[in-house]
């Protein structure tokens, strides 16, 4: 009797753990897909057309940006960054090639990190974006960037 009870308890526990892991994997895959879609729709599209209202849909207020461009330190507040985007010629209007690629996304609970490559103007940017799920929506809360000379 004890053996049957222990076997039943162990089987139930294993099934519950397997179901939980399956649910977590499904959620993680859904979140990864949602992040990729948001990055393409709002971040990459906003950069391409130079639309700060589109960018604001994914950039959380207070987002900070750090990195280096052509070897020079880069640090801006969100408002400084958006002002720069608003006052430059968009990649779309420049006629120069633009390519944005989401290289990877890693999700843990309500936080995530995305690696994005953006080729625009004469730059080959790599962005490491920290995201957080706030009010059931993924937003960028920090941006680290650098450009690579090809």
């Amino acid at each position: 009797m004890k053996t049957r009870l222990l076997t039943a308890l162990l089987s139930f526990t294993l099934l519950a753990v397997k179901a939980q892991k399956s649910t977590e994997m499904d959620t993680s895959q859904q979140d990864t897909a949602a992040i990729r879609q948001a990055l393409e729709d709002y971040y990459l599209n906003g950069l391409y057309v130079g639309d700060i209202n589109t960018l604001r849909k994914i950039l959380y207020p207070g987002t900070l940006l750090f990195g280096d461009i052509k070897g020079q330190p880069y640090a801006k507040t969100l408002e400084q960054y958006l002002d720069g985007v608003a006052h430059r010629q968009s990649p779309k209007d420049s006629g120069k090639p633009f390519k944005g690629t989401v290289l990877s996304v890693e999700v843990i609970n309500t936080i995530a990190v995305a690696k994005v490559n953006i080729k625009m103007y004469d730059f080959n940017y790599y962005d490491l974006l920290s995201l957080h799920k706030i009010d059931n929506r993924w937003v960028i809360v920090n941006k680290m960037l650098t450009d690579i000379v090809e």
Side-chain angles (χ1 to χ4, degrees):
M1 183 69 173
K2 286 182 183 179
T3 304
R4 286 187 184 170
L5 184 60
L6 283 173
T7 302
L9 182 60
L10 182 59
S11 296
F12 177 75
T13 302
L14 290 174
L15 286 173
V17 168
K18 185 176 179 182
Q20 181 180 359
K21 285 188 183 250
S22 176
T23 301
E24 288 172 2
M25 287 178 62
D26 291 345
T27 301
S28 180
Q29 289 174 349
Q30 291 169 354
D31 285 330
T32 298
I35 290 168
R36 285 181 177 276
Q37 192 67 54
L39 289 173
E40 290 172 8
D41 291 349
Y42 304 122
Y43 185 63
L44 295 174
N45 184 49
L47 288 174
Y48 177 63
V49 299
D51 184 353
I52 64 170
N53 291 320
T54 299
L55 288 169
R56 283 187 193 278
K57 292 179 182 179
I58 194 164
L59 292 165
Y60 189 76
T63 296
L64 297 175
L65 301 89
F66 295 97
D68 60 80
I69 298 175
K70 298 205 180 291
Q72 297 301 308
Y74 180 96
K76 293 195 178 195
T77 66
L78 178 60
E79 293 310 313
Q80 290 169 326
Y81 173 72
L82 292 176
D83 184 62
V85 171
H87 291 95
R88 72 176 181 211
Q89 184 180 37
S90 73
K92 179 182 179 185
D93 292 340
S94 75
K96 291 187 176 186
F98 175 92
K99 184 175 182 183
T101 307
V102 179
L103 301 173
S104 65
V105 175
E106 185 168 339
V107 178
I108 303 171
N109 294 327
T110 62
I111 63 170
V113 175
K115 182 178 178 182
V116 179
N117 178 232
I118 302 164
K119 295 180 180 182
M120 64 183 206
Y121 307 119
D122 296 323
F123 294 95
N124 182 22
Y125 290 111
Y126 281 86
D127 294 352
L128 298 178
L129 306 170
S130 299
L131 296 103
H132 188 208
K133 193 173 190 180
I134 300 173
D135 296 329
N136 209 32
R137 195 171 65 91
W138 286 99
V139 291
I140 297 169
V141 296
N142 189 357
K143 174 178 172 174
M144 301 286 292
L145 68 143
T146 191
D147 75 303
I148 305 294
V149 178
E150 294 185 293

